Amino acid sequence: MFQAKRPLFIYCLSPVHMGAGTALGVIDNPIQRERHTGHPMMAGSGLKGAIRHHVWSQLPEAQRRNDAGSMLHRIFGPDSGNADDHAGALSFGDAQLVCFPVRCLKRSFVYATSATALARARRALAAAGVKAEWPEVAVGEGAALAATDAALSGEKLLLEAFEYNAKPNNDLAKTAGWLADNALPAGDGYGYFRDKLKSDLVLLPDEDFNHFVRHATVVEPHVRIDDVSGTADDGGLFYTENLPPESLLLSLVMATVERRKKGANGNGPMSAEEVLAKAVDGWEVDEEGTVEGLRDALLQVGGDATTGRGLVAFHFMGGESHDQ
């Protein structure tokens, strides 16, 4: 049973390839998707692995190798060679899609969402003790609602090759304002995108939203080059799918009391709140350095790291002690 929880918003800064491992169509390397909704997602296991590596890379060499008492192992669990010693105290839920960028005739793109995506986000926030003040908003078939009229062309919203009857909605504007204030990292670098999320959030019918998240992802051709000839290998063309930049997802980060066996140290186990605090805010390693936590951190997740893919920004909310 988890004793502490915090919501973690994940904002994509580059195309992100969290691979599904199985190709069922023309795309050789598809991204992970939920089976029942078809929405792109990020498996918690992949997030935890990327975060563990982020922490590991900051540690002194001695603590990277065999120090079973290091904070890394206490929080994330021991490495594979000692995995049966104890479980980690930190868990990451699958990241679910909240907003998806869709090309628009005006404003370059909008942040599209749906009633289902918002309801699931509200439920995840509630599980962490955060009350999202979002009025429930419904939209009819062939129509759309917008937080403001910034992306509208008269009474129309033009997305890709689709046209929607659309109008501004005050209730959706409240949702857009809450997300702009709470879902993106602090700092001047995100000021433009906070303002854009506040003005350019649009609500689509679930069926239309599902169409865009299935068919408006980034699909890139890759060619494998022969090292000797410098030309393309025979059969070396393949297609990789990516979640587009500006996508917004939400995960739950959960913690238990430290799970090491009794007698493993003389200080007693860390509480769940202490585990979460160290993961979010970091800790001192020795006299010479510290491990940076995950608060507003820039991380690389998924594949294709050497081609600049997988850059995401983390933003934590306060969890059960959050000022509501």
Side-chain angles (χ1 to χ4, degrees), residues 114-269:
S114 71
T116 296
L118 290 179
R120 299 178 77 197
R122 186 188 296 111
R123 180 180 64 187
L125 291 166
V130 176
K131 185 176 181 181
E133 299 291 347
W134 301 347
E136 292 191 14
V137 184
V139 62
E141 183 178 352
L145 297 177
T148 70
D149 61 0
L152 303 185
S153 300
E155 296 183 352
K156 301 292 184 180
L157 176 66
L158 304 175
L159 303 180
E160 297 282 355
F162 297 88
E163 180 181 277
Y164 295 90
N165 296 316
K167 59 183 180 181
N169 181 273
N170 289 333
D171 287 339
L172 186 63
K174 294 177 182 178
T175 301
W178 191 97
L179 288 172
D181 291 339
N182 293 281
L184 298 188
D188 294 340
Y190 296 92
Y192 173 87
F193 300 97
R194 285 193 292 269
D195 292 341
K196 184 172 179 62
L197 180 55
K198 187 179 294 186
S199 65
D200 294 353
L201 182 70
V202 301
L203 183 74
L204 301 178
D206 281 317
E207 297 80 5
D208 295 77
F209 181 71
N210 290 349
H211 169 82
F212 286 117
V213 302
R214 286 181 177 274
H215 301 291
T217 54
V218 180
V219 179
E220 299 175 324
H222 291 254
V223 177
R224 190 164 49 244
I225 301 298
D226 184 275
D227 290 334
V228 176
S229 68
T231 60
D233 269 343
D234 290 338
L237 176 65
F238 59 95
Y239 291 88
T240 296
E241 184 181 24
N242 295 271
L243 190 62
E246 322 310 332
S247 298
L248 178 66
L249 299 93
L250 174 63
S251 174
L252 278 182
V253 182
M254 301 162 284
T256 68
V257 65
E258 185 184 354
R259 289 170 165 172
R260 288 206 297 167
K261 297 175 181 178
K262 292 182 179 179
N265 64 52
N267 300 323

Side-chain angles (χ1 to χ4, degrees), residues 40-110:
M41 48 86 75
M42 296 181 184
S45 58
L47 290 174
K48 184 175 182 180
I51 291 166
R52 194 181 201 279
H53 178 75
H54 170 75
V55 173
W56 175 89
S57 66
Q58 301 177 60
L59 293 174
E61 185 66 25
Q63 292 193 29
R64 288 183 179 184
R65 295 196 301 269
N66 299 314
D67 186 357
S70 73
M71 194 61 67
L72 174 70
H73 293 151
R74 294 174 67 185
I75 292 175
F76 291 92
D79 55 31
S80 57
N82 303 295
D84 57 348
D85 285 354
H86 63 88
L90 198 64
S91 177
F92 293 82
D94 294 346
Q96 299 175 348
L97 188 64
V98 180
C99 298
F100 185 83
V102 178
R103 186 174 57 171
C104 182
L105 179 66
K106 292 182 66 177
R107 306 284 290 175
S108 180
F109 72 93
V110 296

Side-chain angles (χ1 to χ4, degrees), residues 290-303:
T290 61
V291 167
E292 294 181 0
L294 301 173
R295 186 183 300 279
D296 292 352
L298 177 66
L299 273 77
Q300 193 283 327
V301 300

